[in-house]
Amino acid sequence: MPKYNVLLVDDHPMIIAGFEQALEIIKEHNDELEFSKDSALNCTDAAEKILNEDKKYDLICLDLSLPASEDGKYNSGEDLAKLAKKSQPQAKLLICTMLENNYKVLNVLRRIDPNGFLVKSDTNPDILIAAIESLLRGHTYHSTTVQKMMKKTIEFAHNIDEEDLRILYLISKGILTKNIPDHMDLSLSTIEKRKKQMKFFFDIPNTNDKILVEKAKEKGFL
C-alpha cells in the first residue's frame, strides 16, 4: 500500500482542515493509498519538521504568509520553501496563498518554482484534490487564477525592453512625457501605450508617473 508523508503549513487551522479533508476524500476513492499527516501553524514548527532527517515528506503544502520563526531564520513560507528544496528535495511543493498580485506571483514562481500554486480565493475542495493528485502523479498544477496571472504577467514581462527602460529612465530624470519624443525615435502615442502596458505589468493605477518610477525602482528596473 503506497504511503505518502504530507506536511501542511498554514497559520489558519481551517485551511489545514481543508487539506486534511481533501486527503481523506482521495483515500476514500483509492483504498490503496495511505497518508501520514503533519501540520504546523508557523515557521518555527514547520522548519523543525522540514529539518527532521528521520522524516521524508512526499508533499509539502505551504502558505506564504506565516509567523516568523523564533530564531529569525525563517520569515515566510518562501523561506520554508527554499529550506524544503534543500532539506527535502524529494518533496513536491504546493503553494496555497492569498497572494493575488501579478508581479509577485511571477516572482514567486521564478524564485521557488513550486510544483503547484493555488490562490486561496479560487480554491475549493475539488481544486485541492485535483492539485494534490496531480503533484503526487509527478505533474504540476496551477489554479485558474494563477494561470491567468502567469499569462498576463509573462506577456507584459516580454515587453519590458530597452526602449521601455529608456522611457523609465527619462521619466525618472524629470522629462515630461510630451517631451520624450525629443529624446527617442518614438511617437508620443507609442510612448503613452508603452507606459500604460508597464503600469498594467506593475499592477498600479494608470495615474501619475511618479508611482510608475517608484515601482520600477523597487523592482530593479531603474
Side-chain angles (χ1 to χ4, degrees), residues 19 61-64 94-99 114 116-124 127-132 135 141-146:
F19 272 105
C61 304
L62 288 169
D63 187 7
L64 292 178
L94 176 59
I95 302 296
C96 184
T97 183
M98 289 297 294
L99 191 63
F117 200 137
L118 309 175
V119 173
K120 288 182 180 178
S121 61
D122 69 349
T123 298
N124 57 44
I127 289 177
L128 290 180
I129 292 169
I132 293 169
L135 267 60
Y141 189 94
H142 298 122
S143 65
T144 301
T145 296
V146 174

PDB file of all heavy atoms in Angstrom, residues 19 61-64 94-99 114 116-124 127-132 135 141-146:
ATOM      1  N   PHE A  19      -7.264  20.867   3.743  1.00  0.00           N
ATOM      2  CA  PHE A  19      -6.323  19.945   3.108  1.00  0.00           C
ATOM      3  C   PHE A  19      -6.496  18.527   3.652  1.00  0.00           C
ATOM      4  O   PHE A  19      -6.448  17.548   2.899  1.00  0.00           O
ATOM      5  CB  PHE A  19      -4.888  20.418   3.345  1.00  0.00           C
ATOM      6  CG  PHE A  19      -4.387  21.388   2.317  1.00  0.00           C
ATOM      7  CD1 PHE A  19      -4.276  22.736   2.613  1.00  0.00           C
ATOM      8  CD2 PHE A  19      -4.025  20.952   1.046  1.00  0.00           C
ATOM      9  CE1 PHE A  19      -3.812  23.637   1.663  1.00  0.00           C
ATOM     10  CE2 PHE A  19      -3.552  21.836   0.090  1.00  0.00           C
ATOM     11  CZ  PHE A  19      -3.442  23.183   0.404  1.00  0.00           C
ATOM     12  N   CYS A  61       2.670  21.330   1.675  1.00  0.00           N
ATOM     13  CA  CYS A  61       1.738  22.392   1.291  1.00  0.00           C
ATOM     14  C   CYS A  61       2.022  23.616   2.151  1.00  0.00           C
ATOM     15  O   CYS A  61       1.969  23.533   3.386  1.00  0.00           O
ATOM     16  CB  CYS A  61       0.300  21.930   1.474  1.00  0.00           C
ATOM     17  SG  CYS A  61      -0.095  20.402   0.570  1.00  0.00           S
ATOM     18  N   LEU A  62       2.287  24.741   1.509  1.00  0.00           N
ATOM     19  CA  LEU A  62       2.734  25.933   2.231  1.00  0.00           C
ATOM     20  C   LEU A  62       1.913  27.162   1.914  1.00  0.00           C
ATOM     21  O   LEU A  62       1.595  27.437   0.755  1.00  0.00           O
ATOM     22  CB  LEU A  62       4.188  26.255   1.864  1.00  0.00           C
ATOM     23  CG  LEU A  62       5.314  25.363   2.381  1.00  0.00           C
ATOM     24  CD1 LEU A  62       6.596  25.735   1.657  1.00  0.00           C
ATOM     25  CD2 LEU A  62       5.485  25.556   3.880  1.00  0.00           C
ATOM     26  N   ASP A  63       1.612  27.934   2.957  1.00  0.00           N
ATOM     27  CA  ASP A  63       1.136  29.299   2.782  1.00  0.00           C
ATOM     28  C   ASP A  63       2.386  30.177   2.717  1.00  0.00           C
ATOM     29  O   ASP A  63       3.435  29.822   3.255  1.00  0.00           O
ATOM     30  CB  ASP A  63       0.250  29.704   3.958  1.00  0.00           C
ATOM     31  CG  ASP A  63      -0.405  31.059   3.750  1.00  0.00           C
ATOM     32  OD1 ASP A  63      -0.277  31.634   2.650  1.00  0.00           O
ATOM     33  OD2 ASP A  63      -1.040  31.546   4.704  1.00  0.00           O
ATOM     34  N   LEU A  64       2.309  31.336   2.077  1.00  0.00           N
ATOM     35  CA  LEU A  64       3.474  32.222   2.009  1.00  0.00           C
ATOM     36  C   LEU A  64       3.536  33.182   3.188  1.00  0.00           C
ATOM     37  O   LEU A  64       4.607  33.582   3.621  1.00  0.00           O
ATOM     38  CB  LEU A  64       3.460  33.019   0.696  1.00  0.00           C
ATOM     39  CG  LEU A  64       3.694  32.224  -0.580  1.00  0.00           C
ATOM     40  CD1 LEU A  64       3.606  33.141  -1.798  1.00  0.00           C
ATOM     41  CD2 LEU A  64       5.034  31.504  -0.547  1.00  0.00           C
ATOM     42  N   LEU A  94       3.573  22.521  -2.849  1.00  0.00           N
ATOM     43  CA  LEU A  94       2.303  23.125  -3.265  1.00  0.00           C
ATOM     44  C   LEU A  94       2.110  24.416  -2.475  1.00  0.00           C
ATOM     45  O   LEU A  94       1.973  24.390  -1.252  1.00  0.00           O
ATOM     46  CB  LEU A  94       1.139  22.167  -3.008  1.00  0.00           C
ATOM     47  CG  LEU A  94      -0.266  22.695  -3.295  1.00  0.00           C
ATOM     48  CD1 LEU A  94      -0.401  23.129  -4.750  1.00  0.00           C
ATOM     49  CD2 LEU A  94      -1.319  21.644  -2.946  1.00  0.00           C
ATOM     50  N   ILE A  95       2.104  25.544  -3.169  1.00  0.00           N
ATOM     51  CA  ILE A  95       1.876  26.838  -2.534  1.00  0.00           C
ATOM     52  C   ILE A  95       0.396  27.165  -2.591  1.00  0.00           C
ATOM     53  O   ILE A  95      -0.232  27.072  -3.653  1.00  0.00           O
ATOM     54  CB  ILE A  95       2.671  27.957  -3.248  1.00  0.00           C
ATOM     55  CG1 ILE A  95       4.171  27.647  -3.244  1.00  0.00           C
ATOM     56  CG2 ILE A  95       2.393  29.305  -2.599  1.00  0.00           C
ATOM     57  CD1 ILE A  95       4.799  27.606  -1.889  1.00  0.00           C
ATOM     58  N   CYS A  96      -0.178  27.552  -1.453  1.00  0.00           N
ATOM     59  CA  CYS A  96      -1.579  27.973  -1.394  1.00  0.00           C
ATOM     60  C   CYS A  96      -1.625  29.248  -0.570  1.00  0.00           C
ATOM     61  O   CYS A  96      -1.378  29.236   0.637  1.00  0.00           O
ATOM     62  CB  CYS A  96      -2.445  26.885  -0.767  1.00  0.00           C
ATOM     63  SG  CYS A  96      -4.210  27.270  -0.755  1.00  0.00           S
ATOM     64  N   THR A  97      -1.923  30.377  -1.220  1.00  0.00           N
ATOM     65  CA  THR A  97      -1.777  31.661  -0.544  1.00  0.00           C
ATOM     66  C   THR A  97      -2.828  32.664  -0.999  1.00  0.00           C
ATOM     67  O   THR A  97      -3.523  32.449  -1.993  1.00  0.00           O
ATOM     68  CB  THR A  97      -0.365  32.223  -0.819  1.00  0.00           C
ATOM     69  OG1 THR A  97      -0.177  33.441  -0.115  1.00  0.00           O
ATOM     70  CG2 THR A  97      -0.165  32.470  -2.303  1.00  0.00           C
ATOM     71  N   MET A  98      -2.906  33.767  -0.263  1.00  0.00           N
ATOM     72  CA  MET A  98      -3.818  34.858  -0.637  1.00  0.00           C
ATOM     73  C   MET A  98      -3.196  35.774  -1.677  1.00  0.00           C
ATOM     74  O   MET A  98      -3.828  36.678  -2.175  1.00  0.00           O
ATOM     75  CB  MET A  98      -4.184  35.680   0.600  1.00  0.00           C
ATOM     76  CG  MET A  98      -5.098  34.973   1.577  1.00  0.00           C
ATOM     77  SD  MET A  98      -6.718  34.586   0.857  1.00  0.00           S
ATOM     78  CE  MET A  98      -7.366  36.245   0.610  1.00  0.00           C
ATOM     79  N   LEU A  99      -1.933  35.554  -2.010  1.00  0.00           N
ATOM     80  CA  LEU A  99      -1.206  36.406  -2.942  1.00  0.00           C
ATOM     81  C   LEU A  99      -1.954  36.522  -4.265  1.00  0.00           C
ATOM     82  O   LEU A  99      -2.232  35.532  -4.917  1.00  0.00           O
ATOM     83  CB  LEU A  99       0.178  35.802  -3.186  1.00  0.00           C
ATOM     84  CG  LEU A  99       1.216  36.642  -3.921  1.00  0.00           C
ATOM     85  CD1 LEU A  99       1.560  37.889  -3.129  1.00  0.00           C
ATOM     86  CD2 LEU A  99       2.473  35.810  -4.157  1.00  0.00           C
ATOM     87  N   PRO A 114       7.607  26.191  -7.522  1.00  0.00           N
ATOM     88  CA  PRO A 114       6.854  25.113  -6.863  1.00  0.00           C
ATOM     89  C   PRO A 114       6.204  24.196  -7.889  1.00  0.00           C
ATOM     90  O   PRO A 114       5.992  24.575  -9.042  1.00  0.00           O
ATOM     91  CB  PRO A 114       5.801  25.885  -6.065  1.00  0.00           C
ATOM     92  CG  PRO A 114       5.564  27.123  -6.870  1.00  0.00           C
ATOM     93  CD  PRO A 114       6.916  27.482  -7.433  1.00  0.00           C
ATOM     94  N   GLY A 116       3.180  23.166  -7.546  1.00  0.00           N
ATOM     95  CA  GLY A 116       1.799  23.605  -7.639  1.00  0.00           C
ATOM     96  C   GLY A 116       1.628  24.960  -7.000  1.00  0.00           C
ATOM     97  O   GLY A 116       2.361  25.322  -6.077  1.00  0.00           O
ATOM     98  N   PHE A 117       0.670  25.746  -7.502  1.00  0.00           N
ATOM     99  CA  PHE A 117       0.429  27.090  -6.969  1.00  0.00           C
ATOM    100  C   PHE A 117      -1.067  27.362  -7.012  1.00  0.00           C
ATOM    101  O   PHE A 117      -1.682  27.336  -8.075  1.00  0.00           O
ATOM    102  CB  PHE A 117       1.174  28.132  -7.815  1.00  0.00           C
ATOM    103  CG  PHE A 117       1.390  29.456  -7.119  1.00  0.00           C
ATOM    104  CD1 PHE A 117       2.620  30.103  -7.205  1.00  0.00           C
ATOM    105  CD2 PHE A 117       0.387  30.075  -6.397  1.00  0.00           C
ATOM    106  CE1 PHE A 117       2.836  31.329  -6.580  1.00  0.00           C
ATOM    107  CE2 PHE A 117       0.584  31.279  -5.770  1.00  0.00           C
ATOM    108  CZ  PHE A 117       1.814  31.920  -5.860  1.00  0.00           C
ATOM    109  N   LEU A 118      -1.640  27.611  -5.833  1.00  0.00           N
ATOM    110  CA  LEU A 118      -3.065  27.914  -5.714  1.00  0.00           C
ATOM    111  C   LEU A 118      -3.251  29.274  -5.049  1.00  0.00           C
ATOM    112  O   LEU A 118      -2.508  29.625  -4.137  1.00  0.00           O
ATOM    113  CB  LEU A 118      -3.786  26.865  -4.862  1.00  0.00           C
ATOM    114  CG  LEU A 118      -3.586  25.392  -5.201  1.00  0.00           C
ATOM    115  CD1 LEU A 118      -4.299  24.534  -4.160  1.00  0.00           C
ATOM    116  CD2 LEU A 118      -4.104  25.087  -6.593  1.00  0.00           C
ATOM    117  N   VAL A 119      -4.256  30.015  -5.506  1.00  0.00           N
ATOM    118  CA  VAL A 119      -4.673  31.238  -4.829  1.00  0.00           C
ATOM    119  C   VAL A 119      -5.920  30.899  -4.021  1.00  0.00           C
ATOM    120  O   VAL A 119      -6.869  30.317  -4.551  1.00  0.00           O
ATOM    121  CB  VAL A 119      -4.975  32.362  -5.837  1.00  0.00           C
ATOM    122  CG1 VAL A 119      -5.570  33.574  -5.134  1.00  0.00           C
ATOM    123  CG2 VAL A 119      -3.692  32.767  -6.572  1.00  0.00           C
ATOM    124  N   LYS A 120      -5.898  31.225  -2.737  1.00  0.00           N
ATOM    125  CA  LYS A 120      -6.969  30.789  -1.836  1.00  0.00           C
ATOM    126  C   LYS A 120      -8.354  31.251  -2.273  1.00  0.00           C
ATOM    127  O   LYS A 120      -9.343  30.560  -2.045  1.00  0.00           O
ATOM    128  CB  LYS A 120      -6.676  31.282  -0.418  1.00  0.00           C
ATOM    129  CG  LYS A 120      -5.530  30.556   0.264  1.00  0.00           C
ATOM    130  CD  LYS A 120      -5.320  31.055   1.682  1.00  0.00           C
ATOM    131  CE  LYS A 120      -4.182  30.320   2.363  1.00  0.00           C
ATOM    132  NZ  LYS A 120      -3.925  30.812   3.741  1.00  0.00           N
ATOM    133  N   SER A 121      -8.417  32.411  -2.909  1.00  0.00           N
ATOM    134  CA  SER A 121      -9.736  32.946  -3.274  1.00  0.00           C
ATOM    135  C   SER A 121     -10.468  32.085  -4.292  1.00  0.00           C
ATOM    136  O   SER A 121     -11.692  32.159  -4.398  1.00  0.00           O
ATOM    137  CB  SER A 121      -9.590  34.377  -3.812  1.00  0.00           C
ATOM    138  OG  SER A 121      -8.770  34.393  -4.972  1.00  0.00           O
ATOM    139  N   ASP A 122      -9.758  31.293  -5.066  1.00  0.00           N
ATOM    140  CA  ASP A 122     -10.469  30.432  -6.027  1.00  0.00           C
ATOM    141  C   ASP A 122     -10.241  28.951  -5.709  1.00  0.00           C
ATOM    142  O   ASP A 122     -10.346  28.099  -6.575  1.00  0.00           O
ATOM    143  CB  ASP A 122     -10.056  30.742  -7.466  1.00  0.00           C
ATOM    144  CG  ASP A 122      -8.625  30.331  -7.799  1.00  0.00           C
ATOM    145  OD1 ASP A 122      -7.853  29.990  -6.881  1.00  0.00           O
ATOM    146  OD2 ASP A 122      -8.293  30.359  -8.984  1.00  0.00           O
ATOM    147  N   THR A 123      -9.933  28.666  -4.438  1.00  0.00           N
ATOM    148  CA  THR A 123      -9.693  27.287  -4.029  1.00  0.00           C
ATOM    149  C   THR A 123     -10.943  26.684  -3.384  1.00  0.00           C
ATOM    150  O   THR A 123     -11.588  27.316  -2.563  1.00  0.00           O
ATOM    151  CB  THR A 123      -8.524  27.217  -3.029  1.00  0.00           C
ATOM    152  OG1 THR A 123      -7.341  27.699  -3.665  1.00  0.00           O
ATOM    153  CG2 THR A 123      -8.279  25.785  -2.580  1.00  0.00           C
ATOM    154  N   ASN A 124     -11.262  25.483  -3.787  1.00  0.00           N
ATOM    155  CA  ASN A 124     -12.362  24.725  -3.182  1.00  0.00           C
ATOM    156  C   ASN A 124     -11.899  23.274  -3.037  1.00  0.00           C
ATOM    157  O   ASN A 124     -10.808  22.917  -3.491  1.00  0.00           O
ATOM    158  CB  ASN A 124     -13.641  24.841  -4.034  1.00  0.00           C
ATOM    159  CG  ASN A 124     -13.429  24.377  -5.461  1.00  0.00           C
ATOM    160  OD1 ASN A 124     -12.802  23.340  -5.696  1.00  0.00           O
ATOM    161  ND2 ASN A 124     -13.950  25.120  -6.428  1.00  0.00           N
ATOM    162  N   ILE A 127     -10.593  21.588  -6.200  1.00  0.00           N
ATOM    163  CA  ILE A 127      -9.295  22.088  -6.671  1.00  0.00           C
ATOM    164  C   ILE A 127      -8.170  21.538  -5.802  1.00  0.00           C
ATOM    165  O   ILE A 127      -7.109  21.149  -6.314  1.00  0.00           O
ATOM    166  CB  ILE A 127      -9.278  23.631  -6.680  1.00  0.00           C
ATOM    167  CG1 ILE A 127     -10.179  24.147  -7.796  1.00  0.00           C
ATOM    168  CG2 ILE A 127      -7.859  24.167  -6.854  1.00  0.00           C
ATOM    169  CD1 ILE A 127     -10.302  25.654  -7.855  1.00  0.00           C
ATOM    170  N   LEU A 128      -8.384  21.480  -4.487  1.00  0.00           N
ATOM    171  CA  LEU A 128      -7.373  20.913  -3.596  1.00  0.00           C
ATOM    172  C   LEU A 128      -7.093  19.455  -3.964  1.00  0.00           C
ATOM    173  O   LEU A 128      -5.934  19.025  -4.031  1.00  0.00           O
ATOM    174  CB  LEU A 128      -7.830  20.999  -2.139  1.00  0.00           C
ATOM    175  CG  LEU A 128      -7.876  22.384  -1.497  1.00  0.00           C
ATOM    176  CD1 LEU A 128      -8.341  22.265  -0.053  1.00  0.00           C
ATOM    177  CD2 LEU A 128      -6.519  23.067  -1.558  1.00  0.00           C
ATOM    178  N   ILE A 129      -8.148  18.703  -4.196  1.00  0.00           N
ATOM    179  CA  ILE A 129      -7.996  17.291  -4.562  1.00  0.00           C
ATOM    180  C   ILE A 129      -7.248  17.158  -5.884  1.00  0.00           C
ATOM    181  O   ILE A 129      -6.317  16.352  -6.016  1.00  0.00           O
ATOM    182  CB  ILE A 129      -9.377  16.609  -4.649  1.00  0.00           C
ATOM    183  CG1 ILE A 129     -10.004  16.515  -3.255  1.00  0.00           C
ATOM    184  CG2 ILE A 129      -9.267  15.224  -5.284  1.00  0.00           C
ATOM    185  CD1 ILE A 129     -11.454  16.101  -3.263  1.00  0.00           C
ATOM    186  N   ALA A 130      -7.655  17.969  -6.865  1.00  0.00           N
ATOM    187  CA  ALA A 130      -7.007  17.906  -8.184  1.00  0.00           C
ATOM    188  C   ALA A 130      -5.531  18.262  -8.090  1.00  0.00           C
ATOM    189  O   ALA A 130      -4.681  17.623  -8.728  1.00  0.00           O
ATOM    190  CB  ALA A 130      -7.719  18.850  -9.155  1.00  0.00           C
ATOM    191  N   ALA A 131      -5.213  19.279  -7.282  1.00  0.00           N
ATOM    192  CA  ALA A 131      -3.822  19.710  -7.139  1.00  0.00           C
ATOM    193  C   ALA A 131      -2.978  18.623  -6.473  1.00  0.00           C
ATOM    194  O   ALA A 131      -1.879  18.300  -6.939  1.00  0.00           O
ATOM    195  CB  ALA A 131      -3.760  20.999  -6.329  1.00  0.00           C
ATOM    196  N   ILE A 132      -3.477  18.063  -5.392  1.00  0.00           N
ATOM    197  CA  ILE A 132      -2.735  17.031  -4.663  1.00  0.00           C
ATOM    198  C   ILE A 132      -2.515  15.798  -5.538  1.00  0.00           C
ATOM    199  O   ILE A 132      -1.400  15.267  -5.630  1.00  0.00           O
ATOM    200  CB  ILE A 132      -3.477  16.640  -3.365  1.00  0.00           C
ATOM    201  CG1 ILE A 132      -3.469  17.817  -2.384  1.00  0.00           C
ATOM    202  CG2 ILE A 132      -2.838  15.408  -2.727  1.00  0.00           C
ATOM    203  CD1 ILE A 132      -4.387  17.619  -1.192  1.00  0.00           C
ATOM    204  N   LEU A 135       0.122  16.500  -8.268  1.00  0.00           N
ATOM    205  CA  LEU A 135       1.502  16.540  -7.780  1.00  0.00           C
ATOM    206  C   LEU A 135       2.008  15.148  -7.417  1.00  0.00           C
ATOM    207  O   LEU A 135       3.160  14.809  -7.704  1.00  0.00           O
ATOM    208  CB  LEU A 135       1.617  17.481  -6.572  1.00  0.00           C
ATOM    209  CG  LEU A 135       2.018  18.938  -6.909  1.00  0.00           C
ATOM    210  CD1 LEU A 135       1.004  19.595  -7.829  1.00  0.00           C
ATOM    211  CD2 LEU A 135       2.182  19.739  -5.637  1.00  0.00           C
ATOM    212  N   TYR A 141       0.590  21.737 -11.112  1.00  0.00           N
ATOM    213  CA  TYR A 141      -0.799  22.201 -11.059  1.00  0.00           C
ATOM    214  C   TYR A 141      -0.832  23.677 -10.696  1.00  0.00           C
ATOM    215  O   TYR A 141      -0.242  24.091  -9.694  1.00  0.00           O
ATOM    216  CB  TYR A 141      -1.609  21.412 -10.026  1.00  0.00           C
ATOM    217  CG  TYR A 141      -3.094  21.716 -10.088  1.00  0.00           C
ATOM    218  CD1 TYR A 141      -3.944  20.925 -10.845  1.00  0.00           C
ATOM    219  CD2 TYR A 141      -3.627  22.807  -9.409  1.00  0.00           C
ATOM    220  CE1 TYR A 141      -5.305  21.206 -10.922  1.00  0.00           C
ATOM    221  CE2 TYR A 141      -4.979  23.093  -9.483  1.00  0.00           C
ATOM    222  CZ  TYR A 141      -5.819  22.291 -10.236  1.00  0.00           C
ATOM    223  OH  TYR A 141      -7.152  22.582 -10.324  1.00  0.00           O
ATOM    224  N   HIS A 142      -1.509  24.464 -11.520  1.00  0.00           N
ATOM    225  CA  HIS A 142      -1.740  25.878 -11.234  1.00  0.00           C
ATOM    226  C   HIS A 142      -3.238  26.139 -11.341  1.00  0.00           C
ATOM    227  O   HIS A 142      -3.863  25.760 -12.340  1.00  0.00           O
ATOM    228  CB  HIS A 142      -0.995  26.777 -12.227  1.00  0.00           C
ATOM    229  CG  HIS A 142       0.496  26.611 -12.181  1.00  0.00           C
ATOM    230  ND1 HIS A 142       1.229  26.240 -13.283  1.00  0.00           N
ATOM    231  CD2 HIS A 142       1.378  26.744 -11.166  1.00  0.00           C
ATOM    232  CE1 HIS A 142       2.503  26.165 -12.946  1.00  0.00           C
ATOM    233  NE2 HIS A 142       2.617  26.463 -11.667  1.00  0.00           N
ATOM    234  N   SER A 143      -3.798  26.771 -10.321  1.00  0.00           N
ATOM    235  CA  SER A 143      -5.230  27.067 -10.365  1.00  0.00           C
ATOM    236  C   SER A 143      -5.514  28.074 -11.473  1.00  0.00           C
ATOM    237  O   SER A 143      -4.610  28.731 -12.006  1.00  0.00           O
ATOM    238  CB  SER A 143      -5.706  27.609  -9.017  1.00  0.00           C
ATOM    239  OG  SER A 143      -5.094  28.854  -8.725  1.00  0.00           O
ATOM    240  N   THR A 144      -6.773  28.205 -11.824  1.00  0.00           N
ATOM    241  CA  THR A 144      -7.174  29.059 -12.942  1.00  0.00           C
ATOM    242  C   THR A 144      -6.687  30.490 -12.774  1.00  0.00           C
ATOM    243  O   THR A 144      -6.164  31.096 -13.716  1.00  0.00           O
ATOM    244  CB  THR A 144      -8.705  29.051 -13.082  1.00  0.00           C
ATOM    245  OG1 THR A 144      -9.158  27.709 -13.297  1.00  0.00           O
ATOM    246  CG2 THR A 144      -9.133  29.911 -14.262  1.00  0.00           C
ATOM    247  N   THR A 145      -6.839  31.037 -11.577  1.00  0.00           N
ATOM    248  CA  THR A 145      -6.405  32.417 -11.336  1.00  0.00           C
ATOM    249  C   THR A 145      -4.905  32.562 -11.563  1.00  0.00           C
ATOM    250  O   THR A 145      -4.446  33.529 -12.173  1.00  0.00           O
ATOM    251  CB  THR A 145      -6.754  32.851  -9.906  1.00  0.00           C
ATOM    252  OG1 THR A 145      -8.179  32.849  -9.761  1.00  0.00           O
ATOM    253  CG2 THR A 145      -6.233  34.249  -9.606  1.00  0.00           C
ATOM    254  N   VAL A 146      -4.128  31.603 -11.086  1.00  0.00           N
ATOM    255  CA  VAL A 146      -2.678  31.652 -11.267  1.00  0.00           C
ATOM    256  C   VAL A 146      -2.321  31.552 -12.738  1.00  0.00           C
ATOM    257  O   VAL A 146      -1.437  32.270 -13.234  1.00  0.00           O
ATOM    258  CB  VAL A 146      -1.981  30.531 -10.469  1.00  0.00           C
ATOM    259  CG1 VAL A 146      -0.493  30.485 -10.778  1.00  0.00           C
ATOM    260  CG2 VAL A 146      -2.201  30.734  -8.980  1.00  0.00           C
TER     261      VAL A 146
END
